[in-house]
Amino acid sequence: EEDMAESVHRENKIAALYPLTKFYMAIAIAAAAVILPGIPMKAGCFVIVNLLAFASGVYKIFVRRVKNSVGVLFLILVIIQTFFTAGDTVLFSFWIFTAKLEGLLFALKLGFILANVGGCLIWFFAVTTEKDFVLALEKKGLSPKASYVVLSTLQMVPVLKKRSEVIMNAQRARGVETEGSLLVRAKVFIPTLVPLVLSAIQGTEERALTLEARGFSVETKSTHLYDIEKKPVDNAVTAVTAIVFGLIIIGRVVVWFVLR
């Protein structure tokens, strides 16, 4: 999927924006979803995130990731809040459970905030590679050591996932049963987890030695073989994002004073 993100980055104008420009857009939409009142406005922000993902050419990746992560949490939140939150307006009853309108409204409000925040982050990392984002942060003033920590953290999950797949395939080749009931999968969990942790520790030591051999700790100005630059369109998009977000804050403050 990283190769796909790089190809989209080259072809799509939105995905080709400077990493921090896209980051500001994602943060502005997520913050607007938190600030704006009412379920319709929060749902509208989520529609904007979907339109942005569609226009960026990553809608299939976006929908799959949202469905598998934020979507599951949204559904669990709605079920729990609807049936277990105290309220006076009963929607319907099922066995010993009673659905209340107050719980449903609270769940939708909180759920759309979660969907917007998660959706914005999912969209951002679908159109931005980790190395571009970290390089942009480093050019903004982040130290190379902190940049390496951020990059390693962002790449940790995909690397561990690939290693776990290799370990699982090795276990299958040795005749270990890895598929079946929950009990069977639980039995293979420890034999998979131990080599995964040990390989991660070994990889950390190897990376540390590699960095020292390449003079990573030397106190000199670093140079890059791979570089990215801001374009005039990035300044324009950042300015428009800041203006729109500022208007949202001003409007929210005005409404708050009027309704006091």
Side-chain angles (χ1 to χ4, degrees), residues 17-240:
L17 291 171
Y18 194 67
L20 290 183
T21 303
K22 293 177 285 187
F23 184 69
Y24 296 149
M25 293 170 62
I27 293 299
I29 297 174
V34 176
I35 295 172
L36 290 174
I39 295 173
M41 290 188 177
K42 298 181 186 300
C45 290
F46 189 63
V47 171
I48 292 175
V49 178
N50 279 265
L51 293 175
L52 194 59
F54 181 80
S56 303
V58 294
Y59 195 64
K60 290 183 179 179
I61 298 175
F62 174 81
V63 170
R64 183 173 71 251
R65 292 180 179 177
V66 168
K67 180 183 67 175
N68 294 337
S69 56
V70 181
V72 176
L73 295 176
F74 187 95
L75 182 61
I76 294 174
L77 179 64
V78 169
I79 293 174
I80 292 176
Q81 292 294 333
T82 302
F83 286 100
F84 296 99
T85 299
D88 298 325
T89 308
V90 177
L91 296 175
F92 62 90
S93 297
F94 172 73
W95 193 31
I96 60 174
F97 304 105
T98 302
K100 287 97 172 178
L101 178 61
E102 292 82 0
L104 177 61
L105 294 177
F106 178 77
L108 290 176
K109 183 179 179 180
L110 189 60
F112 274 118
I113 293 177
L114 174 66
N116 278 287
V117 174
C120 287
L121 292 176
I122 289 171
W123 167 78
F124 173 72
F125 285 107
V127 296
T128 310
T129 59
E130 291 89 351
K131 63 179 181 180
D132 285 351
F133 180 50
V134 173
L135 179 57
L137 290 177
E138 188 173 338
K139 296 180 73 171
K140 196 70 175 177
L142 190 67
S143 68
K145 292 182 180 179
S147 300
Y148 176 73
V149 172
V150 174
L151 182 60
S152 300
T153 304
L154 293 176
Q155 293 180 338
M156 183 179 297
V157 174
V159 170
L160 291 180
K161 182 180 178 182
K162 291 180 181 179
R163 285 182 180 175
S164 65
E165 290 175 355
V166 172
I167 294 172
M168 291 292 287
N169 291 332
Q171 297 286 14
R172 293 190 190 98
R174 294 186 179 96
V176 178
E177 190 176 0
T178 60
E179 297 179 355
S181 63
L182 183 62
L183 181 61
V184 172
R185 296 184 180 184
K187 288 180 180 179
V188 80
F189 179 74
I190 298 299
T192 302
L193 183 63
V194 172
L196 181 63
V197 174
L198 292 178
S199 64
I201 295 174
Q202 183 181 2
T204 302
E205 184 178 1
E206 291 176 354
R207 285 196 297 272
L209 293 174
T210 303
L211 291 174
E212 288 299 324
R214 294 181 179 180
F216 183 74
S217 59
V218 176
E219 298 296 333
T220 57
K221 185 177 180 180
S222 60
T223 58
H224 304 279
L225 293 175
Y226 174 80
D227 199 7
I228 52 177
E229 294 293 339
K230 253 187 171 184
K231 300 176 183 178
V233 66
D234 292 295
N235 296 326
V237 172
T238 302
V240 171

